[in-house]
Amino acid sequence: MTGTTKTDHSPWAVFLIFLRLGLTSFGGPIAHLGYFRYEFVTRRQWLTERSYADLVALCQFLPGPASSQVGIALGLSRSGYAGAVAAWAGFTLPSAIVLILFALGMASYGDAMPSGVLHGLKVVAVAVVAQAVWGMARNLCPDAPRITIMAAATCFVLLVPSAWGQVGVIAIAAIIGLLLFKPQQGAAHDPLPIAMRRRVGLFWLTLFFVLLIGLPFLTAMFPNQTLAMVDSFYRAGSLVFGGGHVVLPLLQAEVVPSGWVSNVAFLAGYGAAQAVPGPLFTFAAFLGASMNQAPSGWLGGLVCLLAIFAPSFLLIVGALPFWERLRRNTRTQAALLGINAAVVGLLLAALYQPVWTSAIHAPQDFGLALVALVALMFWKLPPWLVVVGSGIVGWLLSVTL
């Protein structure tokens, strides 16, 4: 494949690639998928559009942060387990470190970034998601039936805005795909370059359920603050469908009534989490660092960060071996034709709500988003440069208008 080099396969190279994404990927999970698509499908050609869409569909099915799971799978495909850890660390640590620092010095750190810059970063997310929707729709919705599925999925998700609504749309699209499409045996399929045995996948899935069921019993038998934190954050990471924002009510129920973190600190940390790049699940690092009981600070942040992301690792590496085998089945391929169209519909719905509605409030916002889209799609500027430029323009507009 063009766009790749042998050195891209080292864990260190994977870490550096994802570190740059972790430093510049503003806009939430849907925007992250847009950044990933540009970096790994368009630019580096690590995988094809079909493979990427299949991977996104799988991660939408699994609980946890979909964009982080896509990154873990990409690292795994490139450099094994070390690559998976490297991809997660590169994408996650920048925002986790900033949020821990914010927790340690909340009073003096809260106004570090002007509001105009934050608004500019929200606006550029519109362009990033729009580019992803356009590119994926051209490849995955080439005919009337799949365009119809995409449009219906968009409307349904906007009318039923819940995590279960998203999962339901994907399930319905799979059934429609089974009924409508008849792919031939040996039809075009681009498997992920991940060689794992089902026995290995079964081990990781078993470990996921053992921890989910066993940690509450261990916490009850051996009362310990660290163990209680691991149990709470592991459970939150295991039971959330729909990404980062959905985990917030669960986390608040775990840490505020127990007195671990005050509600004022919780809300302040949530606001700060919107201002940093990378996955929203790094909010767990802020909460761990803000604990009123030890461990707190850097150690508490690390404990909670690892606990909330552990289910993502176990689920994605456990599911992938079964996914590749299912993917070669013609009935599964038919279902995936419907699922892939629905995934584009989910992205289109997210482009409107919350990406567009939270960013475009005035004519200058629309103009900035349009310029950013042109810069990405036609000027071919790197996304990080467009992100930085949009932040600067957002700040200039806030001080001049």
Side-chain angles (χ1 to χ4, degrees):
M1 273 188 181
T2 59
T4 65
T5 66
K6 187 174 181 180
T7 56
D8 281 344
H9 290 272
S10 74
W12 178 246
V14 171
F15 173 78
L16 291 178
I17 292 166
F18 276 90
L19 178 63
R20 182 167 58 81
L21 290 167
L23 289 167
T24 58
S25 294
F26 291 90
I30 304 300
H32 299 161
L33 295 176
Y35 288 115
F36 285 178
R37 177 186 170 276
Y38 171 82
E39 186 70 28
F40 301 111
V41 178
T42 304
R43 182 176 175 220
R44 297 184 182 274
Q45 298 180 17
W46 282 12
L47 70 172
T48 65
E49 193 79 72
R50 286 192 192 92
S51 291
Y52 183 70
D54 289 353
L55 182 58
V56 171
L58 170 61
C59 294
Q60 293 281 359
F61 267 121
L62 298 174
S67 60
S68 293
Q69 288 171 320
V70 168
I72 291 167
L74 290 169
L76 182 70
S77 71
R78 206 67 187 163
S79 194
Y81 291 118
V85 174
W88 172 81
F91 188 58
T92 305
L93 289 181
S95 57
I97 290 171
V98 169
L99 289 174
I100 291 175
L101 289 172
F102 178 70
L104 297 176
M106 195 184 303
S108 59
Y109 200 78
D111 299 325
M113 189 176 289
S115 60
V117 174
L118 299 182
H119 189 66
L121 298 178
K122 287 183 179 180
V123 170
V124 76
V126 175
V128 171
V129 178
Q131 183 191 29
V133 170
W134 177 258
M136 295 183 75
R138 285 194 307 168
N139 286 280
L140 303 175
C141 302
D143 50 40
R146 279 178 277 187
I147 292 174
T148 303
I149 293 172
M150 175 190 71
T154 301
C155 295
F156 185 88
V157 170
L158 289 175
L159 292 172
V160 186
S162 69
W164 289 111
Q166 295 180 13
V167 175
V169 161
I170 293 175
I172 293 169
I175 296 171
I176 294 173
L178 277 171
L179 298 175
L180 284 184
F181 305 118
K182 306 295 181 185
Q184 300 298 317
Q185 184 70 38
H189 166 50
D190 307 315
L192 288 169
I194 302 175
M196 290 179 64
R197 290 177 292 182
R198 274 193 276 189
R199 185 168 55 188
V200 175
L202 188 60
F203 167 78
W204 293 117
L205 289 176
T206 302
L207 181 58
F208 165 79
F209 286 107
V210 166
L211 290 173
L212 182 61
I213 297 169
L215 280 171
F217 288 103
L218 284 176
T219 304
M221 293 170 59
F222 307 101
N224 176 277
Q225 175 66 11
T226 302
L227 195 57
M229 289 163 58
V230 171
D231 173 36
S232 294
F233 282 81
Y234 183 90
R235 186 167 58 253
S238 299
L239 302 178
V240 169
F241 289 89
H245 291 282
V246 185
V247 81
L248 293 170
L250 279 180
L251 289 178
Q252 188 170 33
E254 294 287 345
V255 303
V256 174
S258 64
W260 289 353
V261 177
S262 70
N263 197 50
V264 171
F266 185 94
L267 294 175
Y270 173 58
Q274 310 304 308
V276 296
L280 188 60
F281 265 46
T282 55
F283 181 44
F286 169 87
L287 295 175
S290 303
M291 289 287 170
N292 294 321
Q293 308 173 45
S296 61
W298 288 100
L299 179 59
L302 181 62
V303 167
C304 293
L305 185 71
L306 294 175
I308 201 169
F309 275 103
S312 300
F313 271 96
L314 298 176
L315 285 169
I316 194 68
V317 299
L320 277 170
F322 300 96
W323 181 253
E324 283 301 316
R325 284 165 174 77
L326 282 172
R327 183 61 181 83
R328 287 195 287 267
N329 182 280
T330 54
R331 291 178 61 81
T332 307
Q333 289 177 21
L336 279 170
L337 291 176
I339 290 172
N340 289 342
V343 167
V344 179
L346 296 183
L347 286 171
L348 183 57
L351 174 60
Y352 174 73
Q353 171 74 292
V355 177
W356 180 282
T357 56
S358 66
I360 308 301
H361 304 306
Q364 61 265 26
D365 298 333
F366 178 79
L368 177 56
L370 181 61
V371 171
L373 182 62
V374 170
L376 288 168
M377 293 188 65
F378 302 104
W379 301 344
K380 306 297 183 184
L381 295 181
W384 68 266
L385 184 59
V386 179
V387 168
V388 172
S390 297
I392 294 172
V393 172
W395 173 72
L396 290 174
L397 289 174
S398 71
V399 298
T400 57
L401 295 180

